[in-house]
Amino acid sequence: MRANPVRGLVLAVYALLIVVPVIVVVMGSFKSTEELFASPFGLPESFSFANYGTVLGEQQLDQAFLNSVMVTLASVLLTLLLGSLAAYGTARIPGWKGWLIFGFLVLGMSVPAQANMIPQYVLFNQLGLLDSRIGLVLINVVVGLPVSVFILGGFMKTLPREAYEASSIDGAGPLRTYWSVVLPMSAPSIAATAIFLFVIQWNELLYPLLFISSDSKKTIPLALLDFQGEFLTDYPLLFTGVVIASVPMAVAYVLLQRYFVAGITAGAVKG
């Protein structure tokens, strides 16, 4: 099939819009402020890691990085566990009742996060969960649960009912069927959901900004705000922090890319 030159041009322009800012940020993390403003698109005079030492040492981004890792991993794992169980339950309920429960569970996607901020803050204050990593994990799970049920539930409803029936004939109960049959068959969808949740919760700024006040409990998006002043922003340090914050997402996508693509296409193939 002959290549479409217009399509190729559009894709090339789109690629430049993505790649150029990434290159500027990565190269800027090795520059001083004067060098960055003098030559924003050029290579650094020397690849010095001084900015990385400053960010991880003096700016305490290493603690924020650790906080983000703990909060994000706990949030994603707990959301996947509860979301897959809820999706499995709705998939096993036949007829309109299953769809009704499924619709109720995903209804949370239609509520803007800003509309819940005041009652959530009051509730967390009463429960003593403000300025707490556990509080961040709980709010991330609550916000991410409708999304995970929506993705996983849509996939699990396409699984053949013969698999459930064969498992029942072999004497497996609902939980055994969930663990031994449904989870292995849903692995691509779970991987795609995990990446989606990881990106959202790793970059979450609203709830840490609302709930966290201690420097020792800040996550990376919240800690990066410290690099921006009212009258001056240290862009090399900010770029360095952005690069460090982007590494886990890039690694996760590279490791799970095959499953991510399979998870996206699985529903279309089975549908």
Side-chain angles (χ1 to χ4, degrees):
M1 184 172 59
R2 189 176 61 181
N4 188 333
V6 176
R7 180 183 179 185
L9 179 61
V10 172
L11 291 177
V13 172
Y14 178 75
L16 286 176
L17 292 176
I18 299 296
V19 172
V20 171
V22 173
I23 294 177
V24 171
V25 169
V26 174
M27 293 296 102
S29 67
F30 296 99
K31 299 178 180 179
S32 64
T33 302
E34 295 77 11
E35 187 181 358
L36 177 63
F37 282 103
S39 178
F41 298 101
L43 294 175
E45 295 179 358
S46 62
F47 285 86
S48 173
F49 289 88
N51 289 332
Y52 288 87
T54 301
V55 166
L56 295 175
E58 299 177 14
Q59 299 294 333
Q60 297 182 345
L61 198 67
D62 53 346
Q63 180 61 47
F65 186 90
L66 180 61
N67 291 337
S68 287
V69 169
M70 291 189 297
V71 170
T72 302
L73 289 181
S75 301
V76 170
L77 292 176
L78 191 55
T79 304
L80 287 177
L81 174 62
L82 298 178
S84 60
L85 284 171
Y88 168 65
T90 60
R92 289 295 303 268
I93 300 176
W96 63 270
K97 293 182 180 179
W99 284 106
L100 180 63
I101 298 175
F102 176 78
F104 177 77
L105 292 175
V106 302
L107 190 62
M109 296 173 58
S110 64
V111 181
Q114 294 79 3
N116 298 322
M117 288 174 57
I118 294 179
Q120 286 170 347
Y121 185 89
V122 172
L123 178 62
F124 272 52
N125 186 35
Q126 293 175 347
L127 295 176
L129 294 175
L130 292 181
D131 199 25
S132 166
R133 299 183 189 92
I134 296 178
L136 286 182
V137 172
L138 291 178
I139 197 66
N140 284 340
V141 172
V142 170
V143 174
L145 200 55
V147 178
S148 64
V149 173
F150 177 76
I151 299 175
L152 295 175
F155 178 84
M156 289 183 182
K157 287 182 179 296
T158 65
L159 297 179
R161 304 202 67 83
E162 290 80 3
Y164 300 135
E165 296 172 357
S167 179
S168 299
I169 293 175
D170 291 338
L175 288 180
R176 182 66 178 178
T177 302
Y178 161 79
W179 183 259
S180 301
V181 178
V182 175
L183 284 187
M185 295 178 67
S186 304
S189 181
I190 292 175
T193 307
I195 295 178
F196 186 75
L197 291 173
F198 183 87
V199 172
I200 291 178
Q201 296 176 357
W202 180 266
N203 293 320
E204 179 62 51
L205 175 62
L206 175 62
Y207 289 111
L209 186 62
L210 181 64
F211 294 143
I212 299 299
S213 56
S214 300
D215 291 339
S216 61
K217 297 177 183 177
K218 288 182 177 180
T219 56
I220 276 191
L222 186 57
L224 289 178
L225 293 181
D226 294 337
F227 297 105
Q228 300 182 4
E230 183 177 359
F231 303 104
L232 180 65
T233 299
D234 195 329
Y235 285 103
L237 292 184
L238 179 61
F239 288 171
T240 304
V242 170
V243 171
I244 295 174
S246 303
V247 169
M249 290 187 293
V251 171
Y253 181 77
V254 169
L255 294 178
L256 299 176
Q257 180 181 11
R258 177 168 60 93
Y259 300 101
F260 182 69
V261 175
I264 292 177
T265 59
V269 173
K270 290 178 178 293

